[in-house]
Amino acid sequence: MNTFLVFLEQREGVVKKSSIDTWNRAQELAALHPGAAVSALLVGPASTRQLDGCPGGNGVIYHANEEAFRLYNPEHYTRLVVETMKRVAATTLFFADTALSRDLAPRLSVRLKASLLTGCAVDDAWGENGGGCCQRPVYSGAAIASFAPCRPLKIYTCTPRASRISSPITSGARASVVVLEPSSSTSEELFPLVRRMAMHEGVRDVAEARIIVAGGRGMGRAGFGLLEALARLLGGAVGASRPVVDEGWRPHAEQIGQTGKTVAPALYLACAISGAPQHLAAIGSAGIVVAINCDPHAPIFDVADYALVGDVHLLLPKLIEEFREFLKKR
Amino acid sequence: MHIAVCLCQVPDTASVIDFFEGALDLSRVNGVMNPFDEYALEEAVRIKERFEGSQVTLFCIAPSSAKEMLRKALAMGGDRALLFSTTEPADTFQTAGMLSRAITDYYGEVLPDLVFCGKHSTDFQSAQVPLMLAELLGMESVSAIIKLEASRAGIHVEREIEGGIESLELHYPALFSVEKGLNVPRKTTIKAVMEARKKPIDLLPVTLSESSCVTITSIKPFVREKKCRVVQDPKELVLLLTHAEALF
Ligand SMILES: Cc1cc2nc3c(=O)[nH]c(=O)nc-3n(C[C@H](O)[C@H](O)[C@H](O)COP(=O)(O)OP(=O)(O)OC[C@H]3O[C@@H](n4cnc5c(N)ncnc54)[C@H](O)[C@@H]3O)c2cc1C
C-alpha cells in the first residue's frame, strides 16, 4: 500500500500555493491508486484557516506549529520529516519544487535511504511500470528523460503544472488537522541557522507567477518600465534573459533560463528575447507563450503560440492600452 | 585552510544534442566545466587568497578526457587536481558516495574546512549531489548561496528563496553549493595557464560501494508541438488571449 506524505511549506505564516497544488495532485494520484492514503505535514506556525476547503480530499494534516519552525532550519526540519514519515508509515514524500525543498530533500534522501527525484512533473503516468516514474527535461530541454526510483522510499520535488493552478478538489471530503506535540529537540541550537529572512516588498517571484512578462536585451534598460507596467496590470511578474541580468538592468532573481529559474506560468510573454536554447530550456512547461520580436526569424517564435512581429517599444504601449481597455470593460 | 572543489563536465551549450536511431548520441558534444562549478571554484580561490597557506584541491569524477577541463581549473587557481575515471556512477547518490570517499581518502581523518560545488550541473539539473555529499561527510551545508563571508570563527551566507533572501550562519567544516551571482569568475591569464601546466593532475581509483537509487529508463528527443500563429496587432492578441485562451 502507498502512503503519501505531502510537505506543506509556509513562509511568513502563509502556506505556499505550490504546496497546496502538490497536495491536490497527491490526492488525484491517490484516487487513481486504490488503497493509497494521503497525509500532510505543515511545518511552522501558519493559519490553517487558509487551508479550509482549499485542500480537499481525505487525510490528516499534521501541523508542527512551534515557533522554532517559523524559519527554515535544515536539521530541525530534517528530523521532523523523518519522524513524521515513520509515524504515518509513509512510502512517498512529495514536495513542491522550491528553494527550500531543493535544500531539504537531498539531506532527507540520505537520511531515509530514499530515491530522490527532483524537478519532476508527476503526472498520471506516475503509477505505470511498477510505479513512481516521472519525467523531466534534460540537456537544456533538448531531451526528455524518464526516471524510475529503485528504493522502497521515494521523495519527489514536483514542478508546477501550467494548465491547472491550485484547482481545489471539490470532492466534498475534508482533511482534518492534527496539531503535533512540541518536539523536545527544537530547543537545541542546530546549524546552519537561518538568522534572518528578508522578503522583497511587493515583488512577485517569477518562479511562482501565473503570468510572466519577460524582457531581453532588445528592451534596453529603460524599456523595462513598460514590462513592469504590463506585469502590474496583469498581476504578473517581470522576468529577464541573462544579458539583461549581466548588464545589471534586473536582479538575478528574475533571470529565466539554464543558469536562472525554470518557470511554468500559464502565460509567458517574451519581449525582445531571441530564444537561445539556454533560455528556452526553462520555459518548456509554460502554458501559452507569446513572443514579441522585430526579427521574424527569431528562434523564440519556434516555441511560441502567438507571434507579434515588430518593435517592442511601439507594440508594448499599445498592448498595455488594449489590456487596460479590456480589464475596464470586464 | 583546506578547500575542496567538486567539478563536473557538461556538454558545451553550443553543442547539439543528437539522437541516433532513437538513442542519445553525445559523440559530437564538446565537454566543458559546468558553469556553476566555475562560481564554486572562483569562490574557493578567493578564500585561498585571503587566508594564507590555503590549498585548493579539485575533485572530479569523469572520463580521462576531463583533463583538459581540469587544466583550465588549475589555471583559475586550483593547486592540484584529482581525477577519478575508473568507474562511472549511475546516479546522483553513487556520485555523492564516490566523492565522499575520494575526499576522505585524500584528507584522511580531518575533513577539509570548506567544500564547494556548483548548484547543479546544467545537463541534468538534479541539484542533488552537493547536499547528499555534505550529509555523507557529516558536514554543515547550505545550497545555492549567493553571498559568503568567511572569518576564522565561522561563515555567513545568503541564499535566494522565492521572493526573498535567507541569511544563515554556520561553522567549519562546511559545504556549499553555489548559485550564479556569488561572484564573477576570473579570466585566465597566459601566465596562469603556463603555471597550471606544472600543477599535478593525479589519476586515482575510487570504489563504487553503494547501489543506485534512481535509474533512467529512457531519454527521448523533445519534440515541440507548438504551432505559432502570427497576429496582426496588439488588439488581436488581447482578443485571442482573453477569449480563445480565456486566460483572463
Ligand atoms: C553557460 C550559459 C548559460 C546561459 N544561461 C542563460 C540563462 O539562464 N538565461 C538566458 O536567458 N540566457 C542564458 N545564456 C545566454 C544565451 O545563450 C543568450 O545569449 C541569451 O539568452 C540571449 O538573451 P536575449 O534574447 O535577451 O538577447 P539577444 O540574443 O541579443 O536577443 C535580443 C532579441 O531582441 C530582439 N530585438 C532587439 N530590439 C528589439 C526591438 N526594439 N523590438 C523587438 N525586438 C527587438 C532581437 O531581434 C533579438 O531577437 C547562457 C549562455 C551560456 C553560454
Side-chain angles (χ1 to χ4, degrees):
Chain A
M1 198 181 96
N2 270 319
T3 303
F4 303 154
L5 182 68
V6 180
F7 183 95
L8 299 176
E9 177 179 343
Q10 60 77 32
R11 290 285 187 184
E12 300 187 304
V14 179
V15 181
K16 275 182 171 289
K17 265 214 186 88
S18 53
S19 289
I20 294 174
D21 190 36
T22 307
W23 162 272
N24 287 339
R25 192 161 355 166
Q27 293 286 351
E28 288 171 20
L29 284 180
L32 291 172
H33 297 89
V38 189
S39 302
L41 174 63
L42 169 56
V43 188
S47 158
T48 45
R49 181 161 314 152
Q50 184 204 350
L51 301 172
D52 270 358
C54 192
N58 295 301
V60 179
I61 298 175
Y62 294 93
H63 187 190
N65 64 355
E66 275 173 82
E67 200 46 43
F69 292 125
R70 182 178 292 281
L71 293 177
Y72 173 52
N73 180 295
E75 189 57 35
H76 285 313
Y77 272 47
T78 301
R79 292 182 187 182
L80 177 67
V81 175
V82 169
E83 264 170 41
T84 314
M85 289 285 285
K86 290 214 180 95
R87 178 184 184 136
V88 302
T91 49
T92 310
L93 173 61
F94 289 110
F95 285 95
D97 192 28
T98 64
L100 188 151
S101 67
R102 288 280 175 141
D103 193 84
L104 183 57
R107 306 172 193 270
L108 281 166
S109 74
V110 174
R111 219 65 74 91
L112 291 163
K113 301 191 171 34
S115 293
L116 172 60
L117 297 100
T118 40
C120 287
V122 172
D123 52 28
D124 294 351
W126 186 84
E128 287 165 17
N129 305 323
C133 291
C134 62
Q135 293 197 329
R136 71 182 160 88
V138 293
Y139 294 112
S140 304
I144 292 275
S146 298
F147 296 85
C150 337
R151 298 279 167 98
L153 294 184
K154 307 161 188 82
I155 304 175
Y156 298 85
T157 73
C158 310
T159 50
R161 291 178 287 191
S163 46
R164 283 178 288 169
I165 285 155
S166 301
S167 50
I169 293 184
T170 44
S171 64
R174 274 285 156 82
S176 54
V177 177
V178 172
V179 174
L180 290 173
E181 289 288 310
S183 114
S184 54
S185 74
T186 45
S187 52
E188 238 181 289
E189 197 175 48
L190 295 172
F191 291 87
L193 192 68
V194 174
R195 283 287 182 208
R196 221 161 2 94
M197 179 174 77
M199 303 305 275
H200 308 310
E201 283 302 313
V203 180
R204 201 181 286 262
D205 195 84
V206 280
E208 299 187 318
R210 192 170 167 270
I211 294 173
I212 296 176
V213 183
R217 182 154 34 200
M219 289 304 302
R221 182 195 284 271
F224 275 85
L226 288 169
L227 300 185
E228 276 178 358
L230 184 55
R232 217 177 304 124
L233 186 65
L234 303 179
V238 174
S241 70
R242 175 165 173 166
V244 167
V245 172
D246 288 351
E247 288 289 337
W249 300 348
R250 303 298 298 183
H252 176 258
E254 289 179 7
Q255 184 182 319
I256 291 162
Q258 195 184 56
T259 40
K261 295 205 166 107
T262 300
V263 294
L267 172 64
Y268 189 79
L269 194 66
C271 306
I273 291 177
S274 60
Q278 298 89 358
H279 189 84
L280 302 185
I283 61 168
S285 310
I288 303 293
V289 176
V290 176
I292 309 182
N293 200 302
C294 57
D295 173 7
H297 304 293
I300 188 76
F301 290 132
D302 298 341
V303 303
D305 300 276
Y306 298 106
L308 206 47
V309 182
D311 187 339
V312 282
H313 299 102
L314 300 174
L315 291 168
L316 278 169
K318 287 192 191 137
L319 186 62
I320 292 170
E321 204 38 55
E322 290 294 337
F323 266 122
R324 193 169 282 142
E325 282 297 308
F326 168 79
L327 293 169
K328 219 188 316 177
K329 277 191 234 137
R330 198 180 49 169
Chain B
M1 261 196 237
H2 290 289
I3 310 171
V5 182
C6 303
L7 299 174
C8 71
Q9 232 185 182
V10 295
D12 175 356
T13 42
S15 307
V16 184
I17 305 293
D18 267 335
F19 286 85
F20 182 70
E21 293 179 347
L24 185 68
D25 174 16
L26 295 177
S27 59
R28 288 202 299 149
V29 159
N30 184 27
V32 294
M33 194 190 309
N34 178 33
F36 289 99
D37 298 355
E38 291 194 24
Y39 307 121
L41 173 57
E42 176 63 31
E43 201 60 23
V45 174
R46 287 185 189 191
I47 293 174
K48 167 183 126 172
E49 288 164 350
R50 273 194 39 220
F51 296 91
E52 212 170 307
S54 297
Q55 276 273 332
V56 174
T57 309
L58 315 173
F59 293 80
C60 177
I61 298 174
S64 54
S65 56
K67 263 189 179 165
E68 200 185 320
M69 184 264 293
L70 289 173
R71 282 273 169 240
K72 180 186 166 188
L74 291 171
M76 282 176 72
D79 294 302
R80 139 173 253 131
L82 311 178
L83 178 57
F84 304 87
S85 303
T86 42
T87 348
E88 196 185 336
D91 71 349
T92 52
F93 185 62
Q94 286 190 342
T95 310
M98 287 166 71
L99 280 171
S100 81
R101 270 189 304 285
I103 288 174
T104 43
D105 285 354
Y106 181 73
Y107 289 102
E109 292 287 287
V110 188
L111 286 170
D113 303 287
L114 290 167
V115 180
F116 286 102
C117 306
K119 177 182 83 162
H120 62 219
S121 65
T122 54
D123 51 1
F124 273 73
Q125 305 193 316
S126 304
Q128 299 176 359
V129 172
L131 266 55
M132 283 179 170
L133 173 61
E135 194 69 23
L136 292 170
L137 291 170
M139 285 172 110
E140 290 178 19
S141 60
V142 181
S143 65
I145 60 165
I146 53 162
K147 193 170 167 193
L148 181 146
E149 284 163 21
S151 68
R152 290 267 175 215
I155 314 150
H156 266 100
V157 292
E158 288 185 359
R159 65 193 301 266
E160 256 167 26
I161 58 172
E162 293 76 13
I165 283 179
E166 267 174 355
S167 318
L168 299 98
E169 190 184 298
L170 65 170
H171 308 107
Y172 299 100
L175 180 149
F176 299 102
S177 84
V178 169
E179 171 68 292
K180 175 176 179 270
L182 180 67
N183 57 44
V184 179
R186 67 196 65 196
K187 299 267 179 288
T188 50
T189 60
I190 294 183
K191 183 163 164 271
V193 171
M194 300 295 282
E195 279 170 4
R197 290 205 191 137
K198 288 179 243 139
K199 294 179 182 173
I201 297 181
D202 300 329
L203 271 162
L204 298 173
V206 64
T207 51
L208 182 71
S209 49
E210 44 282 290
S211 58
S212 64
C213 293
V214 174
T215 46
I216 294 178
T217 49
S218 76
I219 297 188
K220 290 191 220 116
F222 181 61
V223 191
R224 297 186 201 273
E225 291 147 359
K226 291 215 163 160
K227 252 201 146 122
C228 186
R229 170 167 173 184
V230 179
V231 295
Q232 290 317 310
D233 53 27
K235 197 183 189 82
E236 188 189 357
L237 179 61
V238 171
L239 209 63
L240 285 164
L241 293 179
T242 52
H243 289 85
E245 304 289 357
L247 275 170
F248 297 93

